[in-house]
Amino acid sequence: MQADYDVIVADNLSNSVDTALERVKEITGKTAFFYQIDIRDKAALTEVFNQHPIDAVIHMAGLKAVGESCAEPLMYYQNNLDASMILFEVMQSFSVNKVVFSSSATVYGDPDTVPITEDFPLRMMNPYGRTKYMVEEMLRDITLASNMQAVLLRYFNPIGAHDSGLIGEDPHGIPNNLMPYIAQVAIGQREKLSVFGGDYPTVDGTGVRDYIHVVDLAKGHVKALERIAETETKQGQCLTYNLGTGRGSSVIEVINAFEKVYGDKINYEIVERRPGDVPEYFANPQLANEEMGWRAEKSLDDMMTDTWRWQSQNPNGYKDD
Ligand code: WQD
């Protein structure tokens, strides 16, 4: 919106709330059109395309918890694959041929080396990663057979919040991911953080990940739209970029960085490894810089500061409204 796009949001609110859009209006002074639909509902999705001339789609509607995907694989395949096929079908029927897809670094599985470049072998290790891979494959095939322009963005570990403190991460239930869990320990909602494994072959034995500020991630999507906006060609194309900082941080390093901002200790205990976790992964983000002119700008300290501002201003997330 701040890049002057008119934005239409279609979301079933299965893991979000429409309050966030009211906060977005406070930040931008603009209102996004909002349709509370499941994009698997073809009639409802078609109606959205009937109501608005759409230039491009950013597709990030999907379930995204690795552990949950192992327990509920069919739910993940139905939600992530059906939704994508229906979306691409409706796009084609309205000749909307530009899509930016939210993919994930989980398609790389456990890499032989780090940092990871986009040409690394794809080794999905769970149903969630496999659904991301399969949607990538759909787009690789569709762009070969049509004039569809696709950009696949492989997210590393998005964390942080908007620096207004008005919008941020508010997962339903017990957080799967590290950052919201730490923030909820800090705010007193959770008693103690379990650190999953202290015996990995890493700098301090705990898992290493490439944490990227969610605002840097958002800017990567604007750059992706710009990258395909001007290309009106008959032949489709499918571009793939890692969205990461190129730096890895261990769990202990994240805890220490957060404590510096929080000004107190975070209660944690090192426990056994979490099944499915890999020891270490972080991105080589050079290609996105070369081809889209994008680079992550915010530091781990920025991510901690913005996370704590959001959590302390919204102890119960959006439920405070
Ligand atoms: C990070 C590190 C854990 C929780 C997942 C998805 C990935 C992407 C980001 C969407 C690991 C450790 C975590 C906790 C811990 N999502 N940890 N205690 O698993 O790297 O990636 O989220 O694209 O697809 O797989 O993120 O935040 O769960 O874990 O010690 O309570 O923190 O072991 O080393 P992950 P995470």
Side-chain angles (χ1 to χ4, degrees):
M1 292 170 85
Q2 290 170 325
D4 280 340
Y5 287 96
D6 295 326
V7 171
I8 301 153
V9 176
D11 193 307
N12 66 5
L13 299 185
S14 63
N15 193 22
S16 53
V17 288
D18 56 0
T19 314
L21 290 173
E22 290 157 27
R23 305 274 185 94
V24 165
K25 184 173 180 185
E26 276 185 65
I27 294 167
T28 63
K30 298 179 185 176
T31 303
F33 292 99
F34 174 58
Y35 294 87
Q36 183 175 348
I37 61 166
D38 189 313
I39 62 173
R40 286 175 293 176
D41 179 342
K42 187 175 170 186
L45 184 62
T46 301
E47 190 46 28
V48 175
F49 280 71
N50 275 324
Q51 292 298 321
H52 307 272
I54 291 174
D55 296 312
V57 172
I58 297 178
H59 175 28
M60 40 173 71
L63 300 176
K64 67 142 192 120
V66 168
E68 184 185 51
S69 78
C70 299
E72 302 274 355
L74 182 58
M75 181 173 79
Y76 270 67
Y77 285 114
Q78 282 171 330
N79 192 83
N80 292 1
L81 301 190
D82 287 357
S84 300
M85 284 187 277
I86 289 166
L87 172 63
F88 301 151
E89 183 188 345
V90 172
M91 283 177 68
Q92 278 192 344
S93 61
F94 282 85
S95 304
V96 176
N97 72 338
K98 291 178 175 49
V99 62
V100 175
F101 174 59
S102 161
S103 187
S104 168
T106 29
V107 299
Y108 296 114
D110 186 358
D112 295 332
T113 59
V114 280
I116 297 172
T117 49
E118 289 81 356
D119 58 353
F120 266 33
L122 303 183
R123 296 183 186 145
M124 291 59 68
M125 295 168 64
N126 52 67
Y128 165 73
R130 280 187 278 278
T131 67
K132 289 298 183 182
Y133 169 75
M134 290 176 191
V135 177
E136 286 197 3
E137 287 287 85
M138 285 181 209
L139 286 170
R140 280 187 276 270
D141 288 337
I142 292 169
T143 55
L144 281 175
S146 71
N147 69 348
M148 172 80 91
Q149 318 278 326
V151 183
L152 313 179
L153 298 178
R154 291 174 178 166
Y155 298 3
F156 278 70
N157 285 57
I159 63 170
H162 190 264
D163 62 11
S164 63
L166 289 170
I167 50 179
E169 192 169 11
D170 181 26
H172 292 181
I174 300 173
N176 287 298
N177 295 124
L178 176 67
M179 204 60 238
Y181 204 106
I182 290 177
Q184 290 187 12
V185 169
I187 203 76
Q189 271 196 359
R190 307 279 166 203
E191 196 262 326
K192 171 170 64 174
L193 169 74
S194 298
V195 174
F196 298 139
D199 59 351
Y200 284 109
T202 62
V203 58
D204 57 24
T206 63
V208 172
R209 295 290 185 273
D210 185 331
Y211 296 97
I212 174 172
H213 197 295
V214 65
V215 170
D216 278 329
L217 193 81
K219 290 178 176 174
H221 289 69
V222 175
K223 287 289 188 186
L225 287 175
E226 289 168 4
R227 181 77 174 72
I228 52 178
E230 68 277 359
T231 48
E232 273 308 335
T233 65
K234 285 285 160 285
Q235 179 51 46
Q237 64 176 334
C238 191
L239 305 168
T240 305
Y241 301 110
N242 288 337
L243 290 194
T245 64
R247 285 186 310 281
S249 301
S250 75
V251 176
I252 298 294
E253 285 166 343
V254 171
I255 293 171
N256 292 340
F258 185 82
E259 288 177 342
K260 221 170 79 192
V261 164
Y262 173 53
D264 199 349
K265 285 297 187 195
I266 289 292
N267 186 12
Y268 72 86
E269 179 191 357
I270 295 185
V271 300
E272 66 284 350
R273 296 179 176 189
R274 178 173 66 175
D277 272 355
V278 298
E280 179 167 14
Y281 69 72
F282 54 91
N284 175 333
Q286 197 46 38
L287 193 64
N289 184 252
E290 285 163 7
E291 296 191 2
M292 295 200 295
W294 172 87
R295 182 191 302 279
E297 293 159 357
K298 290 177 180 283
S299 65
L300 191 66
D301 191 55
D302 295 328
M303 297 177 216
M304 299 301 120
T305 302
D306 296 341
T307 297
W308 181 230
R309 185 184 302 106
W310 152 256
Q311 194 69 70
S312 52
Q313 285 181 194
N314 303 273
N316 300 304
Y318 292 106
K319 291 177 276 304
D320 285 338
D321 264 17

